[in-house]
């Protein structure tokens, strides 16, 4: 069976995350993986053994993606362009297949990842913009962006990010390596756009890091409080978690 790798974009506003959720063996919520499974199986003419689409990252409820990666096996050969066009015809409008390519049987969307890049958008308007509310986090208090820029390098490197992991984290270790952490100030749009790259991220890690950075920018924390938080390994001291609406899975890197 030929294996296909697909790059997928989606608006996460109306999804309960990427991963299929079941209750008593039946899907109970609308998920990105669930919609992809339905489309792929329809394309494969609903085989006896259902095809399961495997994703690289399990994004949460309300989180968006520009570059989620999935793989799946089809029971017959179809040209990559045909797979892309066919799936985009079958999928709802809040999911788009950007690119499809055939890969070897040992390719795995999740286990072969080398690094990931996420973007987080923060609206700094006085009030919540109705046209941004599903696509940005919102922070209406005063911010000193120079303080944020001075704090960001403290995230770079290999650290134990236990203070930045939500209670639902189930990974064996909280040690992660961040290779990029920066912010773009878009004054005309009244937005801050954070970019983070790393080998992997913990459950809600980026949203917690953004929350800490915003509190640093607001003067509620010392500029280098991230160093202290890394040392104490205490999630309670990180406090604020930025909303899911501002988070985007931007790109996944493979060896």
């Amino acid at each position: 069976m030929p294996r296909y790798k697909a790059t997928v974009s989606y608006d996460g506003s109306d999804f309960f995350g990427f991963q299929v959720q079941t209750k008593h063996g039946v899907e109970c919520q609308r998920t990105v993986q669930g919609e992809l499974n339905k489309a792929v199986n329809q394309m494969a003419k609903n085989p006896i053994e259902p095809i399961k689409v495997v994703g690289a990252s399990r994004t949460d409820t309300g989180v968006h993606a520009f570059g989620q990666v999935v793989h799946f096996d089809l029971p017959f050969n179809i040209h990559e362009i045909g797979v892309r066009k066919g799936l985009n015809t079958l999928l709802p409008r809040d999911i788009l297949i950007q690119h499809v390519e055939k890969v070897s049987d040992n390719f795995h969307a999740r286990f072969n990842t080398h690094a990931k890049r996420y973007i987080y958008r923060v609206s700094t308007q006085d009030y919540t913009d109705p046209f941004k509310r599903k696509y940005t986090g919102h922070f209406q208090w005063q911010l000193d962006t120079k303080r944020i820029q001075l704090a960001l390098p403290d995230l770079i490197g290999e650290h134990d990010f236990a203070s930045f992991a939500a209670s639902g984290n189930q990974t064996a270790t909280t040690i992660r390596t961040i290779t990029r952490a920066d912010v773009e100030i878009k004054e005309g749009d009244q937005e801050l756009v954070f970019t983070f790259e790393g080998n992997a991220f913990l459950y809600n890690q980026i949203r917690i890091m953004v929350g800490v950075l915003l509190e640093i920018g607001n003067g509620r924390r010392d500029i280098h409080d991230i160093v202290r938080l890394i040392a104490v390994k205490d999630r309670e001291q990180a406090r604020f978690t930025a909303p899911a609406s501002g988070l985007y899975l931007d790109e996944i890197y493979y060896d």
Side-chain angles (χ1 to χ4, degrees):
M1 293 175 68
R3 178 160 292 186
Y4 294 86
K5 170 190 173 187
T7 303
V8 186
S9 298
Y10 49 84
D11 175 348
S13 304
D14 295 327
F15 290 107
F16 286 83
F18 176 84
Q19 189 174 11
V20 165
Q21 299 181 34
T22 60
K23 187 174 184 180
H24 306 302
V26 178
E27 290 186 31
C28 57
Q29 302 286 5
R30 183 174 186 256
T31 64
V32 177
Q33 187 180 33
E35 295 292 343
L36 289 169
N37 283 344
K38 286 189 284 187
V40 168
N41 280 278
Q42 190 174 345
M43 172 174 280
K45 304 186 186 303
N46 296 311
I48 296 173
E49 184 66 30
I51 299 166
K52 294 182 179 179
V53 174
V54 178
S57 186
R58 300 172 181 177
T59 55
D60 294 330
T61 298
V63 175
H64 316 290
F66 295 128
Q68 171 73 280
V69 174
V70 303
H71 82 257
F72 51 87
D73 299 331
L74 290 177
F76 39 75
N77 271 298
I78 306 177
H79 193 278
E80 294 99 322
I81 295 175
V83 174
R84 177 173 174 264
K85 288 183 176 180
L87 289 178
N88 280 332
T89 300
L90 297 168
L91 286 164
R93 291 193 296 175
D94 44 6
I95 302 177
L96 178 67
I97 306 296
Q98 299 279 11
H99 179 73
V100 174
E101 62 181 294
K102 285 184 181 177
V103 290
S104 65
D105 291 345
N106 60 8
F107 173 83
H108 196 285
R110 182 180 177 191
F111 297 138
N112 292 154
T113 59
H114 172 67
K116 298 177 182 179
R117 180 170 71 216
Y118 284 87
I119 288 173
Y120 193 95
R121 294 173 57 198
V122 179
S123 171
T124 58
Q125 295 176 238
D126 292 339
Y127 300 96
T128 302
D129 187 328
F131 300 105
K132 287 186 177 183
R133 73 189 191 284
K134 293 183 179 180
Y135 307 107
T136 63
H138 182 234
F139 195 84
Q140 70 268 38
W141 295 281
Q142 187 172 358
L143 283 171
D144 183 343
T145 54
K146 290 182 180 179
R147 290 174 60 88
I148 293 174
Q149 290 169 323
L150 289 170
L152 279 163
D154 292 337
L155 292 167
I156 301 293
E158 182 181 86
H159 304 290
D160 187 336
F161 286 99
S163 291
F164 299 86
S167 58
N169 181 68
Q170 299 177 346
T171 57
T173 176
T174 50
I175 295 174
R176 295 290 186 271
T177 301
I178 294 180
T179 55
R180 178 182 176 185
D182 56 46
V183 64
E184 180 183 1
I185 303 162
K186 295 190 171 183
E187 294 183 358
D189 295 329
Q190 292 182 277
E191 282 188 25
L192 301 182
V193 181
F194 292 92
T195 301
F196 301 98
E197 290 184 6
N199 62 343
F201 293 92
L202 302 166
Y203 181 49
N204 280 357
Q205 179 180 347
I206 292 173
R207 293 167 57 192
I208 296 168
M209 291 192 306
V210 169
V212 168
L213 288 163
L214 292 174
E215 288 189 334
I216 288 172
N218 186 242
R220 301 180 201 179
R221 293 180 182 272
D222 180 78
I223 288 176
H224 296 292
D225 199 43
I226 288 170
V227 176
R228 183 188 67 83
L229 289 171
I230 289 172
V232 297
K233 302 180 180 63
D234 182 359
R235 166 67 184 99
E236 294 299 317
Q237 295 196 39
R239 299 194 298 257
F240 173 48
T241 302
S245 54
L247 184 58
Y248 297 76
L249 173 57
D250 190 38
E251 188 169 353
I252 298 175
Y253 301 100
Y254 291 89
D255 290 328

